[in-house]
Amino acid sequence: MANPPGSKSVAKRRAPAQARARQTRALILEAAIRLLEKRGLRAFSTNRLAEAAGFSVGTIYQYFENKQEILDALARHERDRRLARTTRTLTSHAQETGTTGLSLRDRIRIVVRTELHAFDGRQRARKILFDLSWRGQQHRDMDRPVTVLADMLAAGQVVDGERGAVRLSATDSFVLTQAVAGIVRAALERDEQMLLAPEFEDAVVELVAGFVEARRCKP
Amino acid sequence: MANPPGSKSVAKRRAPAQARARQTRALILEAAIRLLEKRGLRAFSTNRLAEAAGFSVGTIYQYFENKQEILDALARHERDRRLARTTRTLTSHAQETGTTGLSLRDRIRIVVRTELHAFDGRQRARKILFDLSWRGQQHRDMDRPVTVLADMLAAGQVVDGERGAVRLSATDSFVLTQAVAGIVRAALERDEQMLLAPEFEDAVVELVAGFVEARRCKP
Amino acid sequence: MANPPGSKSVAKRRAPAQARARQTRALILEAAIRLLEKRGLRAFSTNRLAEAAGFSVGTIYQYFENKQEILDALARHERDRRLARTTRTLTSHAQETGTTGLSLRDRIRIVVRTELHAFDGRQRARKILFDLSWRGQQHRDMDRPVTVLADMLAAGQVVDGERGAVRLSATDSFVLTQAVAGIVRAALERDEQMLLAPEFEDAVVELVAGFVEARRCKP
Amino acid sequence: MANPPGSKSVAKRRAPAQARARQTRALILEAAIRLLEKRGLRAFSTNRLAEAAGFSVGTIYQYFENKQEILDALARHERDRRLARTTRTLTSHAQETGTTGLSLRDRIRIVVRTELHAFDGRQRARKILFDLSWRGQQHRDMDRPVTVLADMLAAGQVVDGERGAVRLSATDSFVLTQAVAGIVRAALERDEQMLLAPEFEDAVVELVAGFVEARRCKP
DNA sequence: AATGAATGAGCCTTCATTCAT
DNA sequence: AATGAATGAAGGCTCATTCAT
């Protein structure tokens, strides 16, 4: 009534309203992560979320079409954090040492380490989201962090000193990415501390490096 | 007479009953797989299962303690099929060629191939069960098929020609096993056909072989 | 603003909602008593209650944790009615006649009569609730009405004319209370009309008075 | 087939068959009591009973129309034990001392004590049965043990030395019987040990004696 | 924008009873 | 007489979602 659809007459009002809306959305998502962490997926119901967020169920449905959308948003958010972290680390290292100073193995180690440490804190929530997105449609999206390196390799960007450029096929890239993801997934399930052990990191780096080595263009 | 009630003196009487019972159980499990395949995990309710199996809910609970137990039985069954297949192939190849004639790479390929082809038919159901057990307590059990090779390697049983014996640490074994499992899982999700492509198999074999190579005791 | 979401600044908004909620709760309880009365405990299922109350099951669970809680609320309510009635009668009689003017036998008669008449209307429902609480944990609570007199006697508050004060031990108090409760329970079961017969009241008063007399401090 | 209905040709076979049948019935009931004692009423299902008894469900339904009938039989059995015990004690005491030598108070004490001690062992089962029959139709039957004395009194059989005969009305008898039953019931619920305490017995005896005293024919 | 009471299909499970063998 | 597989209505309860306010 005060707002028949399409008649947003006062533009000025909009901005703060939108700001508030964005904040509400953020609060809901934050509460969602907390709830997931504390109570697990089974207890993650819209009603409980509403209570945890301090809003009413209705409000939640004002910001999200349905429950799944919330989970998706959460997963996307986590993925972005991981992605940002990986690229940040990768580039910062590059800048410090100069692009050429970073060996292939070093790069691999950086990506792997970032991936392995991605689940510090809120482990439970992250595991759940990881699973969920693995299962769901957005699988592809969730892998992006690991894909960063694979993509670089696939595009032949990485030249490793005197040895030839590395070039991965789409299949190779997929295999590599999913292998790492699978390892992380399993470790998360079996024993989270495992992820932080140096010999674990070594093994993963070795796995990746071994594969890349095998794929190197034979000169 | 002295016969405690319930233990019929004539064993024959019990036989048909047990045969029928075994058949009913099998029918339920078969219906379960079918239901899982056709409608997915979310539609897999005890009532729907009963209907699909052509029994009443009560009957189902005569054979299984609860819903989870059905899923477990299914998963166990699938795993056993995979495990049997892997070992069978491994040993039959060994016999054909003579034990020593089977190179490490050959062995790897056999295990990998069996694993990749394990999900022909009923893919959806198998994927669901795979996921479920990955998540649940029986994780360890479900990996067994892939673990076969890893264990052989870990135990240093495989000697590859003139080159030294291969020996994997527990961590290495875990990483290797989970990498393969992760790849299969992902392919299953993304595009089941992928699993059958030769270059896919090659990539996985390469990954495994590369890792094993790196871990080989340098003579 | 600073308002934590969910706590409306205007208290008026909440009022109607709460009023409605209180009313719904009352409606459910009222339907529960009716159902109990008409169909008995065995027919008292949450689904049937929902139907009888004109709400859906879900709504019922919005107001009560579980089925037992409804029964408890009902029982508590009934007990409060009885308790209030007993004390009210006791005090009003006292005021009319002056405290000293009320003989021990008079007091006993008042308590007994209130107890015997407590189950007018909805007899079946009340019987069921009585039983239920007799059985359950709140046994102690449910006896309170009868305990009122016993407590007075136990505390030695009642002085009966020139004769000594009456004082009951804990055991005596228990025996007396439960004797009366047992009689009511049985009469309720056998023939509710019995409770209203004067000679029945006389017998119970005699029982109580006889016991108290026996326990009186011999001067 | 071997036995078309109505063709019990051999009479001699019948007797042992009936003996066996009686034994089976007894075995079922014994298992029922055990089950009730160990697992409580909620776990008392026909299937579980069958298992506990070592028969199949079908067999149980050959001996009892339905579940309730089993419970009834159990309750009746328990009552008979109590009844037998009370009368036995009463008469044995009478014989030892000569009828006149047993004072009214002594008789009361005997009946009360037998009643209070009736629930040794299998307390849980007995409490359940007590409750069940209290509730059910056979209420009347179950009270019989306590009624023995009341009946004697009601019939004016008891003369107490020089003082006049005691005579109770039907109402009096009911009140007395149920008072005792109520006390036992409550003690059973609250703390079974209570039933064995001497001061508890004293209080109950006092209650009964006090009432009887009051009802004595005033000479 | 926000509320939150209300919905109701659906879930898993139990158990008294029947009946073909 | 005994078996026990099969039945299926019914039970208590959950939760994503809607909609009048």
Side-chain angles (χ1 to χ4, degrees):
Chain A
M1 241 249 205
N3 246 335
S7 78
K8 329 259 174 95
S9 45
V10 192
K12 259 186 278 179
R13 277 256 180 79
R14 191 68 160 295
Q18 284 209 356
R20 216 237 254 170
R22 210 169 305 128
Q23 202 208 185
T24 302
R25 216 188 120 94
L27 286 171
I28 292 173
L29 288 176
E30 178 52 31
I33 274 275
R34 254 185 291 125
L35 183 56
L36 223 39
E37 181 65 30
K38 213 196 309 177
R39 313 278 316 267
L41 184 60
R42 278 238 289 282
F44 186 76
S45 74
T46 49
N47 284 292
R48 239 169 326 233
L49 171 57
E51 194 189 16
F55 293 97
S56 70
V57 226
T59 301
I60 287 178
Y61 277 84
Q62 212 110 38
Y63 289 91
F64 300 91
E65 275 278 294
N66 51 42
K67 188 180 161 177
Q68 189 54 48
E69 215 176 63
I70 302 170
L71 258 3
D72 290 353
L74 242 36
R76 233 177 300 121
H77 188 253
E78 284 301 311
R79 184 220 38 204
D80 289 346
R81 276 187 67 245
R82 274 202 296 149
L83 183 53
R85 213 157 132 183
T86 304
T87 22
R88 190 174 348 112
T89 322
L90 221 47
T91 47
S92 79
H93 273 266
Q95 287 178 328
E96 283 173 23
T97 49
T99 314
T100 52
L102 219 51
S103 78
L104 175 59
R105 228 182 185 81
D106 288 342
R107 286 165 188 275
I108 289 174
R109 188 168 292 274
I110 288 169
V111 173
V112 165
R113 183 174 297 170
T114 316
E115 201 60 16
L116 297 185
H117 290 48
F119 289 82
D120 293 352
R122 314 258 219 221
Q123 310 234 23
R124 191 181 184 187
R126 289 196 173 112
K127 181 161 56 183
I128 292 168
L129 292 169
F130 195 87
D131 271 28
L132 239 40
S133 54
W134 199 338
R135 168 176 241 100
Q137 309 74 340
Q138 51 274 101
H139 193 170
R140 210 173 317 254
D141 288 347
M142 292 305 291
D143 294 329
R144 241 189 271 166
V146 206
T147 315
V148 162
L149 180 66
D151 282 354
M152 285 172 56
L153 297 170
Q157 288 172 15
V158 175
V159 183
D160 191 17
E162 59 267 40
R163 293 183 289 173
V166 176
R167 179 171 289 275
L168 297 184
S169 70
T171 300
D172 288 347
S173 182
F174 178 86
V175 165
L176 197 54
T177 309
Q178 299 312 325
V180 174
I183 294 164
V184 170
R185 187 39 266 254
L188 229 35
E189 201 71 72
R190 196 90 107 232
D191 170 18
E192 293 144 356
Q193 298 313 312
M194 203 186 254
L195 288 167
L196 309 176
E199 80 251 32
F200 191 79
E201 183 184 304
D202 286 344
V204 179
V205 169
E206 215 56 68
L207 185 80
V208 176
F211 185 65
V212 170
E213 200 59 41
R215 282 326 196 195
R216 181 183 299 281
C217 315
K218 311 278 148 56
Chain B
M1 17 138 119
N3 252 328
S7 81
K8 306 291 304 174
S9 44
V10 193
K12 262 181 273 177
R13 268 269 182 70
R14 209 205 228 35
Q18 285 209 357
R20 215 233 241 160
R22 209 170 306 127
Q23 203 206 182
T24 302
R25 211 189 125 97
L27 286 172
I28 291 172
L29 287 176
E30 180 51 31
I33 274 275
R34 253 186 292 126
L35 183 57
L36 225 39
E37 182 65 30
K38 211 194 311 177
R39 316 277 313 268
L41 184 59
R42 283 244 279 284
F44 185 77
S45 78
T46 50
N47 284 295
R48 258 200 276 261
L49 171 56
E51 196 185 15
F55 292 98
S56 71
V57 226
T59 299
I60 287 178
Y61 279 87
Q62 206 125 40
Y63 291 91
F64 301 92
E65 280 271 295
N66 50 44
K67 188 180 159 176
Q68 186 56 47
E69 214 177 62
I70 302 170
L71 258 2
D72 289 353
L74 247 33
R76 228 177 305 121
H77 189 254
E78 285 301 312
R79 183 215 45 197
D80 288 346
R81 274 186 69 246
R82 276 200 297 147
L83 184 53
R85 216 158 131 181
T86 304
T87 24
R88 187 173 351 108
T89 323
L90 220 46
T91 48
S92 78
H93 272 265
Q95 286 178 330
E96 282 173 24
T97 48
T99 315
T100 50
L102 216 54
S103 78
L104 176 59
R105 224 183 188 81
D106 287 342
R107 288 163 187 276
I108 289 174
R109 187 168 293 273
I110 288 169
V111 172
V112 165
R113 183 176 297 170
T114 316
E115 202 58 18
L116 295 186
H117 291 203
F119 290 82
D120 293 353
R122 315 259 213 223
Q123 311 235 24
R124 191 181 183 188
R126 291 197 172 111
K127 181 164 56 185
I128 292 169
L129 292 170
F130 194 88
D131 271 29
L132 240 39
S133 52
W134 198 336
R135 170 179 236 97
Q137 307 78 332
Q138 52 270 92
H139 192 170
R140 214 170 314 252
D141 284 350
M142 294 305 291
D143 291 332
R144 240 189 274 166
V146 208
T147 314
V148 163
L149 180 65
D151 282 352
M152 285 171 54
L153 297 172
Q157 287 170 17
V158 176
V159 184
D160 191 17
E162 61 265 41
R163 294 185 288 174
V166 175
R167 182 173 286 277
L168 297 184
S169 71
T171 300
D172 288 346
S173 184
F174 179 86
V175 165
L176 196 55
T177 309
Q178 300 311 327
V180 174
I183 292 164
V184 171
R185 214 348 308 236
L188 231 32
E189 201 73 69
R190 194 89 105 236
D191 169 19
E192 293 138 358
Q193 297 314 311
M194 199 185 258
L195 288 166
L196 308 175
E199 79 253 32
F200 192 78
E201 183 184 304
D202 286 344
V204 178
V205 169
E206 217 54 71
L207 184 79
V208 175
F211 184 65
V212 170
E213 200 60 42
R215 282 326 194 194
R216 180 185 300 281
C217 319
K218 311 278 149 58
Chain C
M1 21 142 113
N3 252 333
S7 80
K8 307 290 307 178
S9 46
V10 192
K12 261 181 274 177
R13 268 270 181 73
R14 214 214 221 32
Q18 284 210 356
R20 217 235 239 161
R22 210 172 303 129
Q23 204 206 180
T24 301
R25 211 190 125 97
L27 285 172
I28 292 172
L29 287 176
E30 179 52 33
I33 275 276
R34 254 185 291 125
L35 183 57
L36 226 38
E37 182 66 30
K38 211 196 308 176
R39 316 277 314 268
L41 185 60
R42 282 243 279 284
F44 185 77
S45 76
T46 50
N47 284 296
R48 259 201 275 265
L49 171 56
E51 195 186 16
F55 292 98
S56 70
V57 227
T59 300
I60 287 178
Y61 279 87
Q62 204 125 42
Y63 291 91
F64 300 91
E65 279 272 294
N66 49 43
K67 189 179 157 175
Q68 188 55 48
E69 215 178 62
I70 302 171
L71 258 4
D72 289 354
L74 247 33
R76 230 176 305 122
H77 188 253
E78 285 301 312
R79 185 218 40 201
D80 289 346
R81 274 186 70 246
R82 277 200 296 146
L83 184 54
R85 215 157 132 181
T86 304
T87 25
R88 189 174 349 109
T89 323
L90 220 47
T91 47
S92 76
H93 273 265
Q95 286 177 330
E96 283 174 24
T97 49
T99 315
T100 51
L102 216 53
S103 80
L104 176 58
R105 226 182 187 79
D106 287 342
R107 286 165 189 276
I108 290 173
R109 188 168 292 274
I110 288 168
V111 172
V112 165
R113 181 175 297 170
T114 316
E115 202 58 18
L116 297 186
H117 291 205
F119 289 82
D120 295 351
R122 316 258 215 223
Q123 309 236 25
R124 191 180 184 189
R126 290 196 172 113
K127 181 163 55 184
I128 291 168
L129 293 170
F130 194 88
D131 271 28
L132 241 39
S133 53
W134 197 338
R135 174 178 234 97
Q137 308 78 331
Q138 51 270 93
H139 194 171
R140 216 171 311 254
D141 285 348
M142 294 306 291
D143 292 331
R144 239 190 275 167
V146 208
T147 314
V148 163
L149 181 65
D151 282 353
M152 285 172 55
L153 297 170
Q157 287 171 17
V158 174
V159 184
D160 193 15
E162 61 267 41
R163 293 183 291 172
V166 176
R167 182 172 286 277
L168 297 184
S169 72
T171 301
D172 289 347
S173 184
F174 179 85
V175 166
L176 196 56
T177 308
Q178 299 311 325
V180 174
I183 293 164
V184 171
R185 203 11 291 242
L188 230 33
E189 202 71 70
R190 194 88 105 235
D191 170 19
E192 294 139 356
Q193 297 313 312
M194 201 186 256
L195 286 167
L196 308 175
E199 79 253 31
F200 192 80
E201 182 183 306
D202 286 345
V204 179
V205 169
E206 217 55 70
L207 184 82
V208 175
F211 185 66
V212 170
E213 199 59 41
R215 282 326 197 193
R216 179 185 298 283
C217 319
K218 310 278 150 54
Chain D
M1 243 256 199
N3 247 333
S7 78
K8 330 258 174 96
S9 44
V10 192
K12 260 186 279 181
R13 281 256 179 76
R14 192 68 160 296
Q18 284 208 357
R20 212 234 257 170
R22 211 169 302 128
Q23 203 209 181
T24 302
R25 216 189 119 96
L27 285 172
I28 292 173
L29 288 176
E30 178 51 31
I33 274 276
R34 254 184 292 126
L35 183 57
L36 223 40
E37 180 65 30
K38 212 198 308 179
R39 315 277 315 268
L41 184 60
R42 279 237 289 280
F44 185 77
S45 75
T46 50
N47 284 294
R48 253 192 289 254
L49 171 56
E51 195 190 14
F55 292 97
S56 71
V57 227
T59 302
I60 287 179
Y61 277 86
Q62 213 112 37
Y63 290 91
F64 300 91
E65 276 277 294
N66 51 42
K67 187 181 163 178
Q68 188 55 47
E69 215 176 62
I70 302 170
L71 257 4
D72 290 354
L74 245 35
R76 234 178 298 121
H77 189 253
E78 284 300 312
R79 183 218 43 201
D80 290 345
R81 277 186 67 245
R82 273 202 298 149
L83 182 53
R85 211 157 136 183
T86 305
T87 21
R88 188 172 352 109
T89 323
L90 220 47
T91 46
S92 78
H93 272 265
Q95 287 178 328
E96 283 173 24
T97 50
T99 315
T100 51
L102 217 53
S103 78
L104 175 59
R105 226 181 186 81
D106 288 341
R107 287 164 188 276
I108 289 174
R109 188 168 292 272
I110 288 167
V111 173
V112 165
R113 184 175 296 172
T114 315
E115 201 60 16
L116 296 187
H117 289 48
F119 289 82
D120 293 352
R122 315 256 219 220
Q123 309 236 25
R124 192 180 182 188
R126 289 196 173 113
K127 182 160 58 182
I128 292 169
L129 293 169
F130 195 90
D131 271 29
L132 239 39
S133 55
W134 199 338
R135 169 176 240 98
Q137 309 75 336
Q138 50 274 100
H139 192 170
R140 209 173 319 251
D141 287 346
M142 292 305 291
D143 293 330
R144 242 190 270 167
V146 207
T147 316
V148 163
L149 180 66
D151 282 353
M152 285 171 55
L153 298 170
Q157 287 171 18
V158 175
V159 184
D160 192 14
E162 60 268 39
R163 293 184 288 176
V166 175
R167 179 171 289 278
L168 297 184
S169 71
T171 300
D172 288 348
S173 182
F174 179 86
V175 164
L176 198 54
T177 308
Q178 299 311 325
V180 174
I183 293 164
V184 171
R185 187 40 266 253
L188 229 34
E189 200 71 70
R190 198 90 106 226
D191 169 19
E192 292 144 356
Q193 298 312 313
M194 201 186 256
L195 287 167
L196 308 176
E199 80 252 32
F200 191 78
E201 183 184 305
D202 286 346
V204 179
V205 170
E206 215 56 70
L207 184 80
V208 176
F211 184 65
V212 170
E213 200 59 43
R215 281 327 197 195
R216 182 184 299 282
C217 317
K218 311 280 149 52

